[in-house]
């Protein structure tokens, strides 16, 4: 079933388009990883889906309705977004997660159900131990988990994430991706921008490669992560193996000092 | 122990303003205190106390409105330096009042209110054009302030010294010139604005985390507009009633934020603290060099500044 349908979206901050006539269909239950070089338009695409930014032209449909026709609050009840927090304030973790419940409340009042959903979100992301800490005291890994818990409190069908695992160590990376995978197994649709291709390959059910505002490829990791596509996407030399444990494609970007030439082999 | 501490804190929050108001009522050029009024119920004591009560209530209302407005502007503009006068409301009101003082000597409050409101409308139109880009709004406000303040100075250049003195006293926030006949509607108006702001406490929480953050929680332009108008109206009203009283709107929300960050408590606590602070400042202003009066705007600027510097040094990590 179609969840999102983007038709010919064009987006630009100045006169140069950042997204160039993108058409895209996202189905219910997809776990999508958007990859691509910096400045390819990944965040812009996500912002359009999150309604932070309106495309210059083209339409986005959510469940068959044009998203500009859906009231913003109602939209926030169905699509949650995790992006970097612009102004970090010394709120406690618990009260920050509670903000995610706002789209479901009237005049900001929370009933018992709201509070139990907030508690569940906190438990789900395993941040019980830090729930009385201030946001400003958290490490970036903890902060990202808290931010995801806030999105979970929105109890939406779909979650959009902008680089949820950047700057995190491997333990926090897997912890966060495991949370997302668990959500995906429970029927949520996850769309995430991701820079680590190997993590994307392990977890995502579908990979979208974006370059200069156009979609280069869009398929399952097994089909679309090959060295032709990845080299074309990033303009760099890399090798693609099969991960012996998960049998998923595994990308090795070749460092310059190794001077590897694949044509010689 | 912690529980006891909490109870003491909360009790003092509500008892302290009452205590301070009682002291403020008991101070003045004539030797009438609350206790003497209990023993001696003459008409003169009652009249004097009533006059002082009006003055104290006016100070409290104005202080509460300014602190609330400061709270809202700091959230909306996401800038710790934002305050009720950031957008130039004070300069607009100053121009209005100066025009009234120099040319007609009456309708000062009405002119000041219109001047403030005019500025807000101009800023609102600009803000709408630039989709509430906060940095641009602040810059627009500062530019407006400069234009309007220069106009005030230009008027001063062509005026008589006594008119200039009167205007200067008004500009520095003088509660002795406050319009006490409007005390009641003023009180109700400010109370309604504060309660409305309180209904939007979660929006304020969310907005203060950023524009994008507000968008992903479904907060639209109309909610931001309402909050903008609540804060602007509260400021314009206070400026019209009591002139320009600086610093309350800046320091009080900051000081209260050290205690509570959620707007559900931040707004009422700021209102109480702002009101109390201005009552203290006004009482000092009217008693320190009796029978002369120092405008309370000067006191708030002076004491508030020093108080805030101490606070900053003490809590340098949490601001």
């Amino acid at each position: 079933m179609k969840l999102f349908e983007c038709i010919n979206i064009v987006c630009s901050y100045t006169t140069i388009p950042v997204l160039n006539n993108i058409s895209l269909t996202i189905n219910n239950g997809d776990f999508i990883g958007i990859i691509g070089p910096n400045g390819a338009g990944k965040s812009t695409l996500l912002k359009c889906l999150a309604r932070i930014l309106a495309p210059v032209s083209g339409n986005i449909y959510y469940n068959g309705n044009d998203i500009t026709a859906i009231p913003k609050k109602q939209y926030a009840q169905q699509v949650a977004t995790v992006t970097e927090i612009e102004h970090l304030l010394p709120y406690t973790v618990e009260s920050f997660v509670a903000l995610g419940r706002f789209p479901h409340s009237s005049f900001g009042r929370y009933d018992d159900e709201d509070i139990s959903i907030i508690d569940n979100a906190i438990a789900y992301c395993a941040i019980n131990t830090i729930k009385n800490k201030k946001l400003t005291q958290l490490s970036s890994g903890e902060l990202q988990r808290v931010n995801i818990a806030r999105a979970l409190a929105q109890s939406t069908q779909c979650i959009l994430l902008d680089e949820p695992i950047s700057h995190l160590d491997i333990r926090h990376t897997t912890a966060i991706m495991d949370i997302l995978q668990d959500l995906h197994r429970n029927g949520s649709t996850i769309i995430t921008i991701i820079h680590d291709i190997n993590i994307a390959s392990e977890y995502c059910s579908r990979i979208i490669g974006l370059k200069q505002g156009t979609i280069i490829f869009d398929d399952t990791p097994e089909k679309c992560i090959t060295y032709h596509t990845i080299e074309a996407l990033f303009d760099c030399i890399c090798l693609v193996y099969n991960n012996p444990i998960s049998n998923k494609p595994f990308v090795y970007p070749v460092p310059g000092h190794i001077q590897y030439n694949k044509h010689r082999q | 122990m912690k529980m006891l501490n909490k109870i003491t804190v909360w009790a003092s929050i509500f008892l302290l303003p009452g205590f301070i108001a009682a002291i403020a009522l008991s101070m003045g050029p004539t030797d009438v205190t609350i206790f003497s009024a209990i023993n001696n119920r003459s008409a003169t004591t009652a009249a004097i106390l009533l006059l002082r009560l009006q003055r104290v209530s006016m100070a409290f209302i104005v202080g509460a409105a300014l602190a609330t407005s400061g709270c809202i502007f700091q959230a909306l503009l996401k800038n710790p330096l934002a305050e009720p006068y950031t957008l130039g409301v004070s300069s607009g009101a100053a121009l209005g009042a100066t025009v009234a003082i120099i040319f007609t000597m009456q309708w000062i409050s009405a002119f000041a209110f219109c001047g403030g409101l005019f500025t807000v409308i101009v800023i609102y139109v600009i803000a709408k054009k630039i989709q509430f880009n906060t940095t641009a709004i602040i810059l627009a406000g500062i530019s407006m302030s400069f234009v309007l303040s220069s106009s005030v100075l230009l008027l001063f250049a062509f005026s008589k010294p006594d008119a200039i003195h009167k205007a200067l006293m008004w500009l520095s926030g003088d509660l002795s010139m406050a319009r006490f006949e409007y005390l009641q509607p003023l009180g109700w108006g400010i109370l309604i604005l504060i309660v409305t702001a309180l209904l939007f406490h979660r929006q304020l929480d969310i907005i203060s985390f950023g524009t994008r953050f507000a968008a992903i929680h479904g907060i639209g332009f109309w909610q931001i507009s309402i909050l903008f108008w609540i804060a602007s109206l509260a400021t314009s009203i206070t400026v019209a009633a009591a002139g320009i009283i600086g610093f309350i709107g800046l320091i009080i929300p900051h000081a209260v934020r050290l205690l509570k960050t959620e707007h559900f408590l931040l707004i009422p606590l700021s209102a109480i603290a702002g009101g109390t602070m201005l009552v203290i400042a006004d009482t000092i202003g009217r008693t320190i060099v009796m029978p002369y009066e120092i405008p309370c705007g000067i006191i708030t600027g002076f004491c508030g500044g020093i108080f805030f510097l101490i606070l900053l040094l003490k809590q340098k990590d949490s601001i």
Side-chain angles (χ1 to χ4, degrees):
Chain A
M1 206 184 86
K2 281 180 196 170
L3 190 68
F4 279 107
E5 196 175 12
C6 306
I7 298 169
N8 297 331
I9 46 175
V10 176
C11 226
S12 63
Y13 298 103
T14 53
T15 46
I16 307 150
V18 181
L19 292 182
N20 227 335
N21 254 333
I22 286 200
S23 293
L24 175 69
T25 306
I26 292 161
N27 296 314
N28 225 331
D30 275 352
F31 188 162
I32 296 181
I34 303 175
I35 62 172
N38 297 114
K42 305 185 295 295
S43 292
T44 309
L45 177 62
L46 202 82
K47 279 180 190 164
C48 287
L49 295 178
R51 287 181 75 184
I52 294 170
L53 202 74
V56 176
S57 71
N59 292 314
I60 303 174
Y61 296 93
Y62 178 81
N63 269 338
N65 303 312
D66 193 321
I67 57 168
T68 52
I70 305 171
K72 282 195 168 163
K73 197 171 173 182
Q74 204 181 322
Y75 194 70
Q77 291 171 2
Q78 298 177 55
V79 179
T81 311
V82 177
T83 64
E84 198 192 348
I85 303 161
E86 296 142 274
H87 300 269
L88 209 56
L89 303 170
Y91 279 58
T92 62
V93 167
E94 200 174 10
S95 55
F96 179 73
V97 173
L99 295 181
R101 203 61 207 151
F102 170 76
H104 295 271
S105 68
S106 51
F107 290 112
R109 278 175 51 94
Y110 293 166
D111 57 24
D112 291 345
E113 195 200 334
D114 293 320
I115 289 162
S116 81
I117 288 170
I118 291 162
D119 287 342
N120 283 342
I122 288 175
Y124 203 94
C125 295
I127 49 172
N128 277 314
T129 48
I130 52 165
K131 74 175 181 186
N132 292 320
K133 268 197 178 180
K134 300 262 168 73
L135 289 187
T136 39
Q137 301 167 333
L138 302 181
S139 71
S140 40
E142 288 170 326
L143 192 63
Q144 199 55 264
R145 279 224 290 253
V146 169
N147 205 356
I148 290 172
R150 181 202 49 77
L152 291 187
Q154 258 173 282
S155 39
T156 55
Q157 172 179 20
C158 173
I159 300 181
L160 313 172
L161 303 99
D162 191 352
E163 300 187 21
I165 54 165
S166 302
H167 318 299
L168 300 190
D169 62 33
I170 48 173
R171 184 173 75 95
H172 279 106
T173 302
T174 42
I176 280 170
M177 292 310 290
D178 286 344
I179 291 171
L180 296 182
Q181 192 176 42
D182 208 45
L183 287 167
H184 170 238
R185 285 197 179 130
N186 290 327
S188 297
T189 309
I190 314 274
I191 304 167
T192 175
I193 294 174
I194 215 161
H195 272 301
D196 190 326
I197 307 167
N198 296 325
I199 294 283
S201 155
E202 287 299 325
Y203 286 92
C204 300
S205 66
R206 187 176 153 194
I207 308 270
I208 294 174
L210 208 60
K211 189 182 185 180
Q212 288 169 354
T214 41
I215 293 175
I216 304 262
F217 54 80
D218 174 4
D219 215 324
T220 59
E222 289 82 356
K223 280 192 187 145
C224 70
I225 298 185
T226 63
Y227 81 85
H228 288 294
T229 55
I230 298 299
E231 282 190 350
L233 187 62
F234 290 100
D235 293 320
C236 71
I237 301 168
C238 49
L239 295 175
V240 177
Y241 300 102
N242 250 5
N243 184 329
I245 296 163
S246 63
N247 233 351
K248 300 268 187 177
F250 178 86
V251 178
Y252 170 69
V254 182
H257 65 87
I258 292 184
Q259 294 186 332
Y260 174 86
N261 187 345
K262 61 176 175 273
H263 300 296
R264 234 182 281 154
Q265 279 202 337
Chain B
M1 195 59 209
K2 230 179 169 181
M3 192 68 199
L4 199 71
N5 268 341
K6 260 193 171 164
I7 292 172
T8 342
V9 168
W10 288 106
S12 54
I13 283 167
F14 291 102
L15 292 180
L16 205 63
F19 182 66
I20 284 169
I23 294 178
L25 282 176
S26 307
M27 289 175 80
T30 41
D31 190 23
V32 173
T33 65
I34 287 199
F35 303 105
S36 70
I38 295 166
N39 300 328
N40 164 27
R41 289 190 188 173
S42 72
T44 15
T45 10
I48 288 169
L49 275 182
L50 186 69
L51 273 176
R52 286 188 196 159
L53 184 66
Q54 283 186 338
R55 178 85 181 244
V56 169
S57 316
M58 183 61 107
F60 191 85
I61 292 167
V62 168
L66 284 174
T68 310
S69 161
C71 243
I72 298 173
F73 274 129
Q74 280 166 15
L76 281 186
L77 300 176
K78 289 145 211 119
N79 191 315
L81 291 178
E83 52 142 355
Y85 304 143
T86 304
L87 300 184
V89 179
S90 55
S91 312
L95 183 60
T98 311
V99 168
I101 289 170
I102 288 172
F103 294 110
T104 66
M105 260 337 250
Q106 45 189 333
W107 302 106
I108 300 173
S109 295
F111 269 81
F113 183 73
C114 292
L117 209 60
F118 166 75
T119 318
V120 176
I121 291 169
V122 171
I123 295 290
Y124 182 75
V125 170
I126 295 173
K128 226 175 152 177
K129 272 234 165 81
I130 55 179
Q131 289 163 352
F132 269 95
N133 174 337
T134 48
T135 317
I137 295 178
I138 294 173
L139 289 176
I142 292 173
S143 314
M144 273 299 273
S145 295
F146 270 111
V147 173
L148 295 163
S149 318
S150 306
S151 316
V152 170
L153 291 177
L154 190 69
L155 277 176
F156 278 0
F158 299 111
S159 319
K160 290 187 194 114
D162 55 329
I164 294 176
H165 182 257
K166 182 137 199 258
L168 272 179
M169 287 310 258
W170 193 91
L171 293 184
S172 44
D174 192 354
L175 281 172
S176 68
M177 285 201 274
R179 307 287 298 267
F180 294 106
E181 63 267 36
Y182 296 133
L183 190 61
Q184 229 177 346
L186 191 76
W188 283 114
I190 296 296
L191 187 69
I192 289 168
L193 287 175
I194 293 176
V195 170
T196 322
L198 207 52
L199 287 178
F200 286 86
H201 68 99
R202 286 240 201 248
Q203 279 92 330
L204 281 168
D205 284 339
I206 290 170
I207 289 167
S208 52
F209 277 97
T211 319
R212 245 186 293 154
F213 199 76
I216 61 181
H217 287 85
I219 290 174
F221 183 73
W222 69 271
Q223 282 146 310
I224 295 174
S225 295
I226 287 179
L227 287 165
F228 175 89
W229 277 105
I230 291 173
S232 303
L233 274 179
T235 313
S236 309
I237 292 171
T238 54
V239 173
I244 298 162
I245 297 166
F247 240 62
I248 293 266
L250 178 67
I251 54 156
I252 296 294
H254 272 302
V256 177
R257 236 179 269 266
L258 298 177
L259 205 66
K260 276 284 161 198
T261 37
E262 288 91 344
H263 286 80
F264 182 62
L265 286 168
L266 186 59
I267 287 177
L269 288 183
S270 295
I272 293 171
T276 313
M277 194 73 184
L278 196 56
V279 169
I280 297 174
D282 183 49
T283 310
I284 295 174
R286 69 190 162 85
T287 53
I288 198 163
V289 283
M290 280 189 287
Y292 300 104
E293 282 198 11
I294 300 173
C296 62
I298 295 173
I299 310 280
T300 55
F302 205 75
C303 302
I306 293 168
F307 166 73
F308 196 56
L309 282 178
I310 294 168
L311 212 63
L312 260 178
L313 287 175
K314 268 195 162 173
Q315 311 245 3
K316 49 182 177 270
D317 329 313
S318 37
I319 292 178

